[in-house]
Amino acid sequence: MALLAGRTVLLRAGVRLGAEAATRGGNGARRFASHRVLVEPDAAAGIATIKLKNPPVNSLSLEFLTELIICLEKLENDKTFRGIILTSDCPGIFSAGLDLREMCGKNPAHYAEYWRAVQEIWLKLYLSNMVLVAAINGASPAGGCLMALTCDYRVLADNPRYRIGLNETLLGIIAPFWFKDNLVNTIGHRAADRALQLGLLFPPTEALQVGMVDQVVPEDQIHSTALSVMSQWLAIPDHARQLTKSMMRKATADHLIKQREADIQNFVSFISKDSIQKSLQVYLEKLKQKKH
Ligand SMILES: CCCCCCC/C=C/C(=O)SCCNC(=O)CCNC(=O)[C@H](O)C(C)(C)COP(=O)(O)OP(=O)(O)OC[C@H]1O[C@@H](n2cnc3c(N)ncnc32)[C@H](O)[C@@H]1OP(=O)(O)O
């Protein structure tokens, strides 16, 4: 995948991205943004804040994922940055997870391309050399929760509507083994077993209790808390922290890397089943009707 600053680029995945905007931030650092991924750099501190902006609910469409992957690649390759704060620009929603429209009524080639992008974002985030702090400022079901779980530290805003968890079973689908592995590594086997089977979405107090998040803070303190956590983590020498992170995560990532193609085939055949398509359509319809 290539990124040509200031131009429209055609990606291998066949997704056309709009021109990248580049301006100067308040501290003189270069601020860059794609359509849906806003990056606020603080070069002096070595921190970039990524704000997800795919309204209304930051659902992870193929285009959005592709923009995010490119953004992470850029930051990973830029020695200026040692840490990322991942947060949302959509009020009340961190991310609604995978975009259900990408998994409904499409063809197998599309499902395969989509799933490869989902795998890619997970691997990029999970194996990032940088310190990743999730500032979870909204609801965070399924794929939204997964993104947060890849981070080194999670701060959740204290609002009972901001529930977080892997709720796949409620949709009649199954969290893949690498979602499960990431959850087990975070909250332990017994809690993950229960949370996954029941599709639990935890409100802040319970999310903290079970270990899904590390800290719950008043909403107006979420960014300052993320910054202060980041400065603690950045105080550790990079090489020691990075090698330790890799030691802790490599086996889990390798589990997927070794069977990426099989995992894609498994997803495509599962999602293409009539019964699964029906469940997803019914779920989407319910979401739409909720308002009326
Ligand atoms: C072997 C492999 C098996 C397959 C594994 C697949 C793993 C899947 C992982 C996933 O991430 S699946 C997605 C799961 N996500 C959810 O269940 C969340 C669903 N959404 C919500 O609960 C709510 O929308 C919300 C996030 C709590 C926000 O609520 P709010 O009241 O603020 O907004 P809504 O009115 O509900 O939604 C606005 C608008 O957005 C549409 N929408 C919501 N979520 C999604 C989504 N995930 N994908 C696509 N579209 C979504 C919703 O339908 C509304 O649309 P309109 O009615 O405005 O057209």
Side-chain angles (χ1 to χ4, degrees):
M1 268 188 278
L3 179 65
L4 302 174
R7 298 223 211 116
T8 296
V9 290
L10 189 59
L11 299 154
R12 185 177 51 76
V15 176
R16 188 175 281 279
L17 293 184
E20 179 191 322
T23 57
R24 295 261 159 203
N27 57 4
R30 192 161 166 274
R31 183 196 300 270
F32 50 93
S34 64
H35 286 138
R36 305 171 184 83
V37 182
L38 308 180
V39 180
E40 293 179 359
D42 181 344
I47 301 168
T49 298
I50 294 184
K51 290 188 173 170
L52 306 174
K53 190 182 184 184
N54 190 26
V57 291
N58 278 335
S59 57
L60 302 169
S61 65
L62 180 57
E63 290 205 11
F64 187 37
L65 284 175
T66 307
E67 289 185 35
L68 200 46
I69 289 165
I70 290 172
C71 169
L72 287 167
E73 267 172 11
K74 281 189 71 168
L75 291 171
E76 199 76 46
N77 292 329
D78 186 337
K79 294 278 176 286
T80 317
F81 299 108
R82 300 170 59 219
I84 289 178
I85 294 175
L86 185 62
T87 193
S88 165
D89 196 60
C90 294
I93 315 285
F94 181 69
S95 164
L98 303 193
D99 193 316
L100 295 162
R101 294 162 302 183
E102 301 282 8
M103 301 190 284
C104 273
K106 303 277 201 297
N107 61 42
H110 179 86
Y111 296 142
E113 183 181 7
Y114 182 59
W115 199 246
R116 191 181 298 282
V118 176
Q119 292 176 334
E120 189 64 24
I121 194 70
W122 182 74
L123 288 168
K124 283 254 173 319
L125 289 167
Y126 194 66
L127 293 176
S128 172
N129 269 325
M130 289 181 282
V131 175
L132 265 56
V133 175
I136 310 165
N137 51 349
S140 191
C145 171
L146 182 75
M147 278 200 300
L149 288 175
T150 63
C151 294
D152 300 294
Y153 196 94
R154 282 162 288 285
V155 187
L156 175 60
D158 193 6
N159 182 323
R161 286 184 300 114
Y162 296 174
R163 297 189 304 156
I164 180 166
L166 296 180
N167 62 326
E168 278 79 355
T169 53
L170 302 185
L171 286 72
I173 56 179
I174 300 145
F177 69 86
W178 41 286
F179 286 42
K180 178 267 295 175
D181 289 345
N182 199 161
L183 184 66
V184 168
N185 292 350
T186 310
I187 66 173
H189 200 280
R190 169 60 194 136
D193 185 358
R194 178 169 164 270
L196 280 172
Q197 289 199 49
L198 297 177
L200 296 179
L201 288 168
F202 298 98
T205 314
E206 289 176 32
L208 184 62
Q209 251 166 20
V210 78
M212 182 81 83
V213 299
D214 300 294
Q215 214 174 329
V216 172
V217 299
E219 193 146 10
D220 60 356
Q221 290 170 26
I222 189 140
H223 192 64
S224 59
T225 306
L227 279 172
S228 112
V229 167
M230 181 64 83
S231 71
Q232 287 167 23
W233 282 66
L234 291 183
I236 308 298
D238 276 341
H239 69 282
R241 188 194 50 73
Q242 287 165 354
L243 287 170
T244 305
K245 181 170 180 175
S246 169
M247 175 177 73
M248 295 302 293
R249 294 182 175 214
K250 189 172 180 307
T252 300
D254 281 351
H255 195 189
L256 173 62
I257 291 167
K258 286 193 180 120
Q259 44 186 320
R260 266 187 96 161
E261 297 309 316
D263 183 60
I264 291 170
Q265 286 319 311
N266 185 45
F267 172 75
V268 172
S269 70
F270 180 83
I271 215 74
S272 304
K273 286 183 205 295
D274 286 347
S275 58
I276 301 302
Q277 285 292 306
K278 202 159 180 191
S279 297
L280 292 179
Q281 270 151 13
V282 167
Y283 188 78
L284 249 177
E285 208 43 52
K286 271 195 197 148
L287 279 178
K288 286 189 189 308
Q289 281 170 4
K290 199 177 66 177
K291 300 181 200 153
H292 306 298

